[in-house]
Every structure is written in structure tokens, then in C-alpha cells.
């Protein structure tokens, strides 16, 4: 892994190819997993920092996120089970969650969390700037 600012021995073509691969990975990560439930319905994806509560008959209620007085830690989350882990991290950041502990079982979940976390964090940073008017 290369640290920013360090000189490399890559050719221009290799550097461009590496950049294309990183960009294609980010684009894949930005796409949200949309899987229908047992009745064939698909839940919407909300691109904001508010809370959304599922109601009856496919309706949703939007609530403003609580204004926290101090930094908060989420000590038990399952990012890999979210429709968009990056969007979830961005919402957490905007709403004052400073620490996230992702629970995973390598025998059931594999290494997806370990493999994807850095990408989720980069994409979450892009979401934060899009969703948060204060940035």
C-alpha cells in the first residue's frame, strides 16, 4: 500500500490504470443494494441525514435526527447488512456519532467488512459533503 506523498516507481500508464480501478470501485460502492422483501417490495433509499420510520401500507414518516450534546459511540452495528454502508456511515458522522464498532462473524460474513471498510469510509466522506449543508 502506498502512503500519500511517497515517491513511486509506477509508470504513467500504471498510475492511470490504478486510478481507473479505484474510481470503478467507488462507483460500485455508491450503488445501493436494493433487494425486494418476501412480498416483492423494495424499500426506498433516503439520501438525507434524517431518520425514517416505516409505517403501514408502504408509507414512511420522516423525523429530524436528534441534536446530540456530545459525541456518541455506536458500539454494536452491522454495516455490512445495510443497503448502503457508506451512506450509513455518512449519516452517523453528520448526526454526531464519532465511533462505530462493526460486529461481524467471519464464519458467516466472510471478510467483507475488513475488505470494504476503507472504501466505505472514502465514499461516506463524499456523502457527508453532499448531505450536510454545513460542509
Amino acid at each position: 500500500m502506498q502512503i500519500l506523498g511517497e515517491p513511486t516507481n509506477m509508470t504513467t500508464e500504471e498510475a492511470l490504470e490504478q486510478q481507473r480501478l479505484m474510481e470503478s470501485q467507488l462507483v460500485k460502492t455508491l450503488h445501493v443494494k436494493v433487494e425486494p422483501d418476501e412480498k416483492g417490495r423494495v424499500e426506498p433509499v433516503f439520501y438525507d441525514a434524517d431518520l425514517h420510520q416505516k409505517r403501514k401500507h408502504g408509507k414512511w414518516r420522516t423525523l429530524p435526527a436528534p441534536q446530540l450534546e456530545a459525541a456518541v459511540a455506536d458500539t454494536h452495528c452491522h454495516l455490512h447488512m445495510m443497503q448502503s454502508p457508506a451512506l450509513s456511515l455518512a449519516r452517523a458522522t453528520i448526526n454526531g456519532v464519532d465511533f462505530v464498532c462493526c460486529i461481524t462473524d467471519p464464519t458467516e460474513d466472510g471478510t467483507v467488512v475488513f475488505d470494504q471498510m476503507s472504501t466505505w469510509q472514502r465514499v461516506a466522506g463524499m456523502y457527508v459533503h453532499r448531505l450536510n449543508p454545513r460542509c
Side-chain angles (χ1 to χ4, degrees):
M1 183 168 138
Q2 178 192 351
I3 298 174
L4 293 177
E6 283 188 0
T8 67
N9 294 329
M10 269 194 260
T11 65
T12 304
E13 292 81 21
E14 290 172 334
L16 288 172
E17 181 61 25
Q18 184 178 14
Q19 183 178 353
R20 277 193 288 272
L21 287 172
M22 288 176 62
E23 288 173 357
S24 69
Q25 173 120 14
L26 284 174
V27 168
K28 288 178 189 173
T29 307
L30 284 169
H31 292 293
V32 177
K33 296 180 286 187
V34 179
E35 298 177 11
D37 64 7
E38 64 277 352
K39 294 182 180 179
R41 294 179 298 216
V42 176
E43 291 187 3
V45 178
F46 299 97
Y47 291 94
D48 58 27
D50 294 330
L51 301 176
H52 301 278
Q53 184 180 40
K54 190 173 186 177
R55 308 299 286 176
K56 292 181 181 178
H57 310 293
K59 301 215 187 278
W60 292 84
R61 180 169 69 173
T62 301
L63 304 166
Q67 298 300 311
L68 305 173
E69 294 182 21
V72 174
D74 182 348
T75 60
H76 188 113
C77 71
H78 297 270
L79 279 175
H80 57 290
M81 294 181 174
M82 304 302 289
Q83 281 183 325
S84 173
L87 186 58
S88 298
L89 283 173
R91 283 189 186 121
T93 300
I94 292 169
N95 290 310
V97 179
D98 284 356
F99 178 83
V100 175
C101 181
C102 189
I103 306 302
T104 182
D105 181 354
T107 60
E108 290 182 15
D109 307 320
T111 61
V112 66
V113 173
F114 306 106
D115 296 339
Q116 295 295 318
M117 184 59 76
S118 62
T119 305
W120 292 340
Q121 289 172 327
R122 281 194 311 267
V123 175
M126 294 184 334
Y127 277 133
V128 165
H129 290 287
R130 290 180 185 165
L131 299 178
N132 192 356
R134 295 174 288 197
C135 287

